[in-house]
Amino acid sequence: MTLSLTVSEEVRALAPGFTHVAVEAHGLVNGPSTEESSALLDEAAARLTARLDGRAPHEDPHMAAWREIYTAFGSKPSRTRNSAEALAKRALSDAGLPRINLLVDLYNAISVAHLIPVGGEDTDRIQGGMRLVRATGDEDFVTVAGGEEVVEHPDAGEVVWRDEAGVTCRRWNWRQGPRTRLTEDTVAGIFLLESLAPMPVAEVERAGAELAELLEKFSPGARITVRAPA
């Protein structure tokens, strides 16, 4: 069953240059990070360094566009960075990129190498379809703080991904909720690669194809579909 993904007219009006490519996969095999997935993250950090050529991540035109959009819906981009910029800063730091699990390592590597926000959701944990909307402020976002489950609410006007149960990711692609994240038990997932002008759509498509190849390599026999840009 194909998961529905919709972008509201309010979000389209806010960011007319927004494009996303979705990679849907069934029959995945996840598990702890491996030497091979760790090497992919190291390679991605090297590709990022070459891409930036001495610039800071926020000086890249694509990251600058995300900062403008974050400001437009009321977030402070220097405090709540989009996921790609946050990962890029980690990649360039002494700490380096985190190793989470195999599937997360794969999509984080693509995000860093291409400087594109990429998220992964467990489709078996999503209720109904997923929608990118501007929040009313009443929606539930279930997260964890201090080891305890807590319910937060997005700011009114904030851009969020949500399903029928509530918000799955706050501030567009800033913080994912634990309910739908990819765990070592995940067998089906949807991966979202998100871009803004001035990034060419063809580059997002190349990143999506590269992610699909990695998923096929690490989950032989998985059924993988790369959707057209939308």
Side-chain angles (χ1 to χ4, degrees), residues 170-185:
R170 285 199 59 187
R171 296 193 176 99
W172 207 314
N173 47 40
W174 168 65
R175 177 172 294 168
Q176 182 188 34
R179 173 170 61 90
T180 58
R181 67 187 174 193
L182 303 178
T183 70
E184 293 184 16
D185 296 324

Side-chain angles (χ1 to χ4, degrees), residues 41-94:
L41 290 169
D42 290 338
E43 179 192 355
R47 290 168 66 181
L48 172 69
T49 299
R51 181 190 192 95
L52 291 174
D53 192 24
R55 294 173 298 166
H58 70 268
E59 294 175 302
D60 176 86
H62 190 215
M63 295 298 92
W66 276 107
R67 283 194 165 214
E68 289 178 9
I69 287 297
Y70 268 51
T71 300
F73 65 75
S75 290
K76 294 182 178 179
S78 59
R79 190 174 66 186
T80 54
R81 297 178 176 87
N82 75 79
S83 64
E85 184 182 333
L87 272 178
K89 283 182 68 65
R90 286 287 300 272
L92 298 173
S93 73
D94 291 339

Side-chain angles (χ1 to χ4, degrees), residues 190-204:
I190 188 88
F191 302 84
L192 289 172
L193 297 84
E194 302 180 305
S195 73
L196 296 168
M199 176 168 278
V201 173
E203 182 163 353
V204 193

